[in-house]
Amino acid sequence: MASTRTPAAKAAPAGVPPGVTAGEAAPDFSLAASGGRTVNLAAMRGRPFVLYFYPRADTPGCTTEACDFSEALTQFHGLGIDVIGVSPDKLPAIEKFATKYGLAFPLASDPERRTAQAYGAWGEKVFMGRKSIGLIRSTFLIDKAGRIVRVWKKVKVAGHAAAVLEAAKALE
């Protein structure tokens, strides 16, 4: 579900972690990523990108999501948009995941969850009626000026990459 709140919006309801909303500056980050890369906000200036947070490498939902973004990567690149995936996994698990599925876009490691927290992608979630604290599957479309254009929280994997691609087509 997309967030349409503006920076002046009211506080999030109980159970929804704070984080960025559409119209705000994207929080700074710098993370080690697959393929010996480092991804950071400063390097992305001047180029729009998708930053998506996934709970754990090589699990069914995360694999489907990553493969869906991978299949759409040529279309994203055709729009001048990069894709970056972020999880709390350590880099060896991420490298293995990227290699296993031939994922060409960077998958970044956020083991201390600082970036996930800054974006509101870490907090309370409910799975099968059980509450826990963990990564909340979330996606952020960020413009070339480093501002959040669109936010998807509590993402359902099926059709998500296609929905992000459609939103990305609206960027100038």
Side-chain angles (χ1 to χ4, degrees):
M1 180 187 292
S3 173
T4 56
R5 295 185 295 154
T6 61
K10 293 182 181 179
V16 176
V20 293
T21 58
E24 292 183 28
D28 196 18
F29 65 90
S30 183
L31 301 167
S34 57
R37 297 173 278 200
T38 298
V39 293
N40 60 67
L41 185 63
M44 299 307 297
R45 292 271 186 216
R47 186 168 175 94
F49 66 102
V50 172
L51 187 67
Y52 82 93
F53 292 84
Y54 64 98
R56 189 168 178 185
D58 211 7
T59 56
C62 296
T63 298
T64 298
E65 185 175 29
C67 288
D68 286 352
F69 273 114
S70 184
E71 287 175 16
L73 195 58
T74 300
Q75 293 173 66
F76 278 108
H77 284 170
L79 297 170
I81 297 173
D82 289 319
V83 174
I84 301 169
V86 180
S87 85
D89 293 312
K90 294 192 176 176
L91 205 48
I94 289 172
E95 290 286 6
K96 185 176 176 183
F97 179 49
T99 299
K100 182 176 180 178
Y101 293 99
L103 303 172
F105 59 89
L107 296 176
S109 175
D110 185 23
E112 292 168 11
R113 303 175 291 280
R114 288 187 187 116
T115 301
Q117 288 171 351
Y119 281 81
W122 185 264
E124 184 179 277
K125 59 186 191 172
V126 179
F127 180 70
M128 297 179 67
R130 200 175 109 232
K131 290 182 182 181
S132 65
I133 301 297
L135 194 124
I136 300 162
R137 194 180 303 273
S138 306
T139 302
F140 302 84
L141 179 58
I142 301 167
D143 70 14
K144 62 185 178 182
R147 300 199 73 74
I148 304 293
V149 174
R150 185 95 182 255
V151 178
W152 292 263
K153 290 282 186 125
K154 298 181 181 181
V155 167
K156 303 293 183 215
V157 172
H160 179 60
V164 175
L165 181 60
E166 281 306 308
K169 289 176 181 176
L171 288 180
E172 296 178 2

